Amino acid sequence: MKDFGIKQALQTLGLQDINNGTATGLHNFSNGEIIESYSPVDGKLIGKVKTTTKEDYEKVVVAATDAFLVWRNKPAPQRGEIVRQFGNKLRDLKEPLGKLVSYEMGKSLQEGLGEVQEMIDICDFAVGLSRQLNGQTIPSERPSHVMREQWHPIGIVGIISAFNFPVAVWAWNTALAWICGDVCIWKPSEKTPLCSVACQNIMASILKENNLPEGISCIINGDFKVGEMITSDTRIPLVSATGSTRMGRIVGAKVAERFGKTLLELGGNNAIIITPTADLKVVVPGAVFGAVGTCGQRCTSTRRLIIHESVYNKVRDAIVGAYKQIKIGNPLDENNHVGPLIDKAAVHKYLAAIEKAKAEGGTVLVEGDVLVGKDYNSGCYVKPAIIEAENHFEIVQHETFAPILYLMKYAGEVENAIEKQNGVAQGLSSAIMTNELKEAEKFLSYAGSDCGIANVNIGTSGAEIGGAFGGEKETGGGRESGSDAWKVYMRRQTNTINYSNELPLAQGIKFDL
């Protein structure tokens, strides 16, 4: 395999040489078993990290607890300054970190670089927000009284992230948590552990340069058993978890049992509605990137195209034609559009989903398959597939984390398409392609899309950090990133101040002694 600078990237990020097989951060509490990280790009071992034992975890929580007592006393703009330095360091390391993301996860280099840019963007957003953590003044019904609302740091934030965005989702959470005065313990996916170590190295260097406790940013590595340490720990008031709906049900129930708070970003089953007035120049790239970007492993990936019957054949033929131009291969080669799935288990699920769709009556338009040959020796490369299907098919009702796109027709008014789009258990992202204002407004109305994200004339994936990101129904209901998502990382407090010499009671209650 052509090197594409991977060895240099690892060394620049504070990871040892790729042939050495070990990766260490500036501070490593871990003494557990070894996780070996193999690249889905070429099947080669990138490095190894130790998992976190129960004893290790206790040391991490103690370090985070002690750090919180220091960090919460820093004025928010000073906390923002640390996040600013972190963002600048990411600018310096964008290329090597983007390459690591691409190589360890398998997404295209452009997407890997884009993920690091998301980290930089959320840092910029958080820095500005550090001077705007505003409460409000509320009129009191009692004379010479004033009511206020203010926000305080919540404490330790536990972050459980998925493999598909191995660095950006952590940054969405931690940049906001930090400026809010919280400290973070991050449990990354065991499928992309080196990305977490690289990020920890970067932030650890910033904390060391500013003489701040390293417990402000902590990582723990391992499988779901390590994640359970976070979800069951009453010392962690907020758990932000990104992953499957199945995982979210477990995390949500466990944290709720101890009256903790959760921020859940779970599965998506996203659709684009294509109306008779849609512009094909917008439809084709939006639908194709949405369906095959990150090899279909985004929670916002386009799974369904709901196409008006009057333009169905034209749209179908255009999408099928575009799939013939897709280049699949090493994602570090920028001539390729699509890299591999994360591992062979994902490949098996992809193949099973295609067979299930066929068994339910689906018609294959673009055949899926596993690619073989010297350029695909990891066994994780697959062909994006297109299948004509019905919305009620069981396989269509579920999210398959792979590049499988289902095409279906709708007749009549746009309300019929919206009903199909909403007719799944998930509610993350949605889009409509139309040049008809009334259709767009219906789609965006209270009777329109039931998703947390609803787009007009763009695809379902590619959210900007300025807006709150998240979804409804089985997507979990959480919101991350922009808008007022910062409030979940803080605790709200209402204050009432009496500056009179009397003690009037609310609601006119009399209590004379």
Side-chain angles (χ1 to χ4, degrees), residues 68 71-77 79 129-138 147-155 176-182 238 261 483-495:
F68 175 61
W71 187 239
R72 69 179 180 181
N73 287 327
K74 294 283 183 184
R79 300 194 293 258
L129 190 62
S130 68
R131 295 180 181 271
Q132 301 177 67
L133 302 175
N134 302 324
Q136 59 181 328
T137 301
I138 306 166
M147 295 176 66
R148 289 202 299 253
E149 183 179 85
Q150 59 181 341
W151 298 85
H152 296 301
I154 199 172
L176 296 188
W178 284 335
I179 61 106
C180 289
D182 302 325
L238 171 64
K261 295 168 61 178
S483 185
D484 65 348
W486 61 271
K487 291 181 178 179
V488 76
Y489 304 95
M490 304 196 83
R491 58 182 177 88
R492 186 195 306 253
Q493 186 180 80
T494 302
N495 313 133

Side-chain angles (χ1 to χ4, degrees), residues 273-284:
I273 295 170
I274 301 172
T275 70
T277 64
D279 185 345
L280 275 182
K281 294 193 301 293
V282 176
V283 168
V284 173

Side-chain angles (χ1 to χ4, degrees), residues 336-495:
N336 292 324
H337 302 107
V338 178
L341 289 171
I342 185 65
D343 55 25
K344 291 180 181 178
V347 174
H348 293 319
K349 290 178 181 178
Y350 154 86
L351 293 172
I354 292 174
E355 291 307 310
K356 176 71 171 173
K358 291 178 182 178
E360 291 192 68
T363 301
V364 176
L365 301 178
V366 175
E367 190 72 55
D369 201 359
V370 181
L371 297 175
V372 295
K374 63 182 180 64
D375 293 329
Y376 311 113
N377 54 13
S378 69
C380 298
Y381 290 87
V382 300
K383 291 175 60 178
I386 301 178
I387 301 173
E388 288 183 318
E390 297 294 336
N391 205 53
H392 66 265
F393 286 3
E394 183 183 1
I395 191 62
V396 175
Q397 288 287 311
H398 292 86
E399 178 186 47
T400 301
F401 232 46
I404 303 173
L405 180 64
Y406 300 111
L407 270 57
M408 58 196 71
K409 296 178 184 178
Y410 79 95
E413 300 302 315
V414 73
E415 287 88 347
N416 298 327
I418 293 171
E419 183 179 2
K420 281 187 183 241
Q421 184 223 270
N422 293 346
V424 294
Q426 309 83 3
L428 178 52
S429 187
S430 58
I432 188 170
M433 299 290 186
T434 181
N435 284 328
E436 173 59 55
L437 178 62
K438 290 181 180 179
E439 290 182 329
E441 290 295 346
K442 284 179 182 178
F443 179 73
L444 298 175
S445 74
Y446 60 86
S449 170
D450 64 1
C451 296
I453 299 169
N455 299 327
V456 177
N457 291 331
I458 63 171
T460 60
S461 61
E464 298 180 27
I465 60 92
F469 180 90
E472 302 299 326
K473 302 191 293 188
E474 288 191 1
T475 301
R479 293 298 185 273
E480 295 173 321
S481 193
S483 185
D484 65 348
W486 61 271
K487 291 181 178 179
V488 76
Y489 304 95
M490 304 196 83
R491 58 182 177 88
R492 186 195 306 253
Q493 186 180 80
T494 302
N495 313 133

